[in-house]
Structure formats: C-alpha cells, structure tokens
Amino acid sequence: MDSRESYFNKLRKNNLRITNSRRAMIDVLENNHLTFKEIQNALAKKGFTNISTIYNNLDFLIEQKIVVELYINDTKYYDLAIDNPMHNADSHVHVVVKDTNKITEINNTDIFDYIKQIPELKDLHLDYIRITIGARKKKTY
C-alpha cells in the first residue's frame, strides 16, 4: 500500500469523504513542509484555486490528525502526519538549517523516551512532544 492510501483509509474508516481537493492536498504535502502560499501555488497548478476550499481542507485534515502545523521562525508550515516515517501527528523533531531554510526530520524514539523519563514530567500524561532545532552549517577553515 502506498503511503497516500493510509491517509485515504483513515478517512474511509471514519466515513469521511475523499474529495478531489483533499486528495490533491495530500499529494502536494507528501514529503514536503509547505507554507499556505506554497500549498496554494501547488494546488493551483492542479486546477484547485478556491482559497476557502484550501483553508477548509487544511482545517479538516488538521482536525483528523492527517496534517500537522509547524511554527518555524515565525512561519507556519504544514506537514503530513500519518505513516510519516519520521514522526506522527503528535510527536516529532524538526531541524531547520537556517543557511538553506531546509527542514528535515529526526526519527529517534530514544529522544521521546528520554524526555518522558524527566522527573518533572513523571506524573503527567504527555499529549505531544514537538521539538524544533535551529542550526547553521559549520564553517570550515
């Protein structure tokens, strides 16, 4: 099963419609971290230009935990969450390379396990863990 099918299966399981615009949005977000404007431009190339529909579908997919919002350097990005090999909707680590604005993900459950063992968090149920790391390339001399 391709990764997009898992998104569609979640919608089917909940008796929710898989519209062409939702399908297109999942397509453009696959393996990408995009701003609203980037999503809008990519969807326009596929013939979807109604801004209200784009906003409504983003809200819907976020509510369904299919898409997550990321705030990086005061900019909101959107990312797919289900079956993402690097994270799930609730917990993930992003590294932003400031020199290139490239966003990569770290998938290491040891990080989350370590955080959950911190004494101050011991008696709490953690709903999510989201970490953003800002980095620059090391200068070589």
Side-chain angles (χ1 to χ4, degrees):
M1 169 182 356
D2 84 357
S3 62
R4 292 177 318 126
E5 198 57 37
S6 61
Y7 300 102
F8 304 143
N9 283 340
K10 178 172 182 176
L11 294 172
R12 284 184 198 106
K13 179 180 164 189
N14 293 321
N15 295 318
L16 300 168
R17 293 182 334 130
I18 304 169
T19 63
N20 289 336
S21 57
R22 289 175 184 167
R23 189 178 295 269
M25 187 169 291
I26 289 170
D27 286 345
V28 301
L29 283 170
E30 189 171 30
N31 299 316
N32 290 305
H33 299 89
L34 301 176
T35 64
F36 180 83
K37 191 68 170 171
E38 291 168 330
I39 293 169
Q40 182 184 9
N41 291 336
L43 288 174
K45 292 176 185 174
K46 294 178 171 276
F48 299 95
T49 57
N50 187 308
I51 292 176
S52 295
T53 300
I54 296 170
Y55 275 116
N56 289 337
N57 280 321
L58 268 176
D59 288 344
F60 170 81
L61 293 172
I62 291 166
E63 184 179 297
Q64 296 303 312
K65 291 194 170 195
I66 290 173
V67 170
V68 292
E69 294 175 307
L70 311 168
Y71 295 90
I72 299 173
N73 296 333
D74 297 324
T75 302
K76 187 187 303 186
Y77 292 87
Y78 299 90
D79 186 18
L80 290 177
I82 300 174
D83 287 342
N84 187 319
M86 297 302 171
H87 64 73
N88 62 47
D90 296 321
S91 297
H92 50 278
V93 177
H94 286 92
V95 177
V96 181
V97 179
K98 294 181 177 185
D99 305 310
T100 61
N101 283 328
K102 182 178 180 188
I103 302 169
T104 56
E105 298 170 2
I106 296 175
N107 183 22
N108 184 332
T109 56
D110 293 343
I111 294 169
F112 303 120
D113 293 340
Y114 174 79
I115 290 170
K116 290 174 185 175
Q117 299 306 313
I118 293 173
E120 292 83 359
L121 303 175
K122 184 179 177 188
D123 295 328
L124 300 174
H125 171 75
L126 301 180
D127 292 328
Y128 62 86
I129 300 169
R130 295 182 186 161
I131 301 170
T132 303
I133 300 169
R136 295 187 187 277
K137 291 185 178 181
K138 289 183 179 180
K139 293 183 180 182
T140 57
Y141 298 96

